[in-house]
Amino acid sequence: MNQNQDLKYWHAINKIEQIGPSRFKKLYNFFPSMELAFFADFKNLKKAGFSEKIADLFTDQRRGIDPDKEFERLLADQIEIITIKDKNYPKLLKEIYNPPALLYIRGNLKKQDEFAVAVVGTRKPSNYGRQVVPMIVQDLTENKITIVSGLAMGIDSLSQETCLASGGRTIAVLGSGVDNNSIYPRINYNLAQEIIENGALVSEYPPGTDPRKEHFPARNRIISGLCLGVLVIEAGESSGALITAHFALDQNREVFSTPGNIFSPNSFGTNNLIKKGAKLVTSSQDVLDELNLSLATEYVKTQSIIPDTPEEAEILKNLSHEPTHVDKIIKKTKLPVSKVNSTLSMMELKGKVKNLGNANYVLSH
């Protein structure tokens, strides 16, 4: 079965009510394909681990779903699906408890997005919060860190706007569908379109899904799950941003918080996080140092140099902006001495590497 053939059944099943990550897991662990799962009878659904009530619901609701037509709509709206079985499924997200069985994506996810930090906070930032976000997010972006947030008004959207203005990549995780009619909040519709061009809109909910209240806590586990750490900038005592921070702790991710005025309601949540052990942040360097993300810039720059041959690819893997001696390159690549020397000479002519003298090489840009 080709990939698209099975993808349409993943999508079709995801449109059935009460089939979340746990029940999806029962299906893909029991059935050889999602097509077989979609057309399974009551008896086999029970064998897969469904209760009678859910098996009845499944067989009843699938009658109203046409997998082919539903998949055509996805293609027409340029919405991509990545399933948990796909090699391109985000590595960090796959590690969390109960990861989404599938993700709907508009835009694109890249390898460099593994170097990601979530920035979340209150929907009603103070002037202080509006000062802090650009100061920290711009620096993170310039260090090639992908910014993840929830497109909400306030700190979320401000962090994503700052990232885009700084030429960076950002991912917005929605509690609704990613289709144009479902994007929420509507006030950030234009921002969402910009994000599609310079990152991705992501959701576990199928297109056409309204932004229901119960979706947002579940959405928050994806925000933290995509990241190495979560930074909270201004949050009240019951802010939804604190839910994201708690998910981050459960997922063994770092939690960062900016301190605030002890008299400001917007600082109650962030100050409490610090008291409970969150890393206090006064600059982007605090985040970069704690997560050892100084290597992110080097990685992204390395990836931007496109190798012309397999030998060039091997050599690029072992070069950075710190000098590397040719003997070390030979040892790490396990290529013949003559091949390394000739390839390095050619790469220097192409402007990909620089010879600093004494057989020490660095990336040229």
Side-chain angles (χ1 to χ4, degrees), residues 69-365:
K69 284 186 178 177
E70 294 294 343
F71 197 69
E72 284 170 12
R73 289 193 186 105
L74 288 182
L75 295 176
D77 289 338
Q78 296 183 306
I79 298 172
E80 181 188 357
I81 293 178
I82 293 181
T83 76
I84 198 163
K85 295 291 188 180
D86 195 308
K87 65 179 181 180
N88 294 320
Y89 190 92
K91 188 174 85 173
L92 289 172
L93 186 61
K94 201 170 188 176
E95 295 173 358
I96 73 169
Y97 171 75
N98 229 17
L102 68 163
L103 296 172
Y104 297 92
I105 298 167
R106 288 181 71 191
N108 60 81
L109 297 179
K110 294 185 176 181
K111 181 75 174 170
Q112 73 189 70
D113 296 330
E114 290 179 12
F115 298 104
V117 171
V119 181
V120 295
T122 179
R123 284 170 170 74
K124 296 179 179 178
S126 67
N127 286 335
Y128 168 71
R130 293 182 181 279
Q131 285 178 289
V132 170
V133 170
M135 181 188 79
I136 293 178
V137 171
Q138 184 176 339
D139 281 353
L140 289 175
T141 301
E142 287 172 357
N143 278 278
K144 308 301 180 186
I145 306 303
T146 297
I147 301 299
V148 179
S149 202
L151 198 70
M153 293 173 64
I155 297 296
D156 287 33
S157 56
L158 184 56
S159 68
Q160 297 193 283
E161 288 167 352
T162 300
C163 176
L164 292 172
S166 304
R169 285 182 54 77
T170 183
I171 297 168
V173 185
L174 308 187
S176 63
V178 296
D179 56 297
N180 284 340
N181 291 333
S182 302
I183 289 171
Y184 178 85
R186 297 306 288 177
I187 195 170
N188 285 332
Y189 177 86
N190 289 336
L191 174 59
Q193 301 305 314
E194 286 185 59
I195 290 171
I196 291 168
E197 297 300 316
N198 299 280
L201 299 185
V202 174
S203 178
E204 65 181 320
Y205 302 110
T209 302
D210 292 330
R212 299 175 195 162
K213 186 177 180 180
E214 63 270 22
H215 290 173
F216 290 92
R219 178 277 305 265
N220 291 351
R221 89 190 193 285
I222 301 176
I223 291 177
S224 55
L226 285 167
C227 300
L228 295 167
V230 171
L231 169 62
V232 185
I233 300 176
E234 284 204 313
E237 208 163 9
S238 57
S239 171
L242 301 181
I243 297 174
T244 309
H246 291 145
F247 274 124
L249 287 173
D250 290 342
Q251 295 162 356
N252 200 28
R253 308 292 154 86
E254 294 293 337
V255 176
F256 304 92
S257 185
T258 54
N261 187 329
I262 62 172
F263 299 110
S264 168
N266 267 1
S267 298
F268 289 172
T270 46
N271 287 345
N272 277 333
L273 283 175
I274 293 167
K275 283 196 284 186
K276 291 177 181 177
K279 171 81 174 177
L280 186 151
V281 169
T282 57
S283 74
S284 63
Q285 201 59 46
D286 295 325
V287 178
L288 295 170
D289 289 346
E290 187 71 20
L291 295 176
N292 195 24
L293 283 176
S294 56
L295 296 175
T297 306
E298 294 295 334
Y299 173 85
V300 173
K301 284 181 178 177
T302 302
Q303 297 306 301
S304 68
I305 302 174
I306 301 170
D308 293 324
T309 66
E311 291 79 13
E312 284 192 7
E314 280 301 311
I315 289 172
L316 284 172
K317 286 180 192 175
N318 294 286
L319 282 178
S320 70
H321 288 81
E322 292 296 318
T324 304
H325 194 271
V326 69
D327 290 344
K328 191 172 182 180
I329 297 171
I330 293 164
K331 185 177 179 181
K332 284 194 169 186
T333 61
K334 297 179 181 174
L335 293 170
V337 174
S338 58
K339 180 61 73 175
V340 169
N341 287 332
S342 62
T343 303
L344 281 169
S345 296
M346 188 58 66
M347 291 172 77
E348 193 174 4
L349 287 172
K350 294 175 182 176
K352 295 180 179 182
V353 301
K354 287 181 182 174
N355 184 347
L356 299 181
N358 297 320
N360 286 299
Y361 289 85
V362 294
L363 295 173
S364 61
H365 58 84

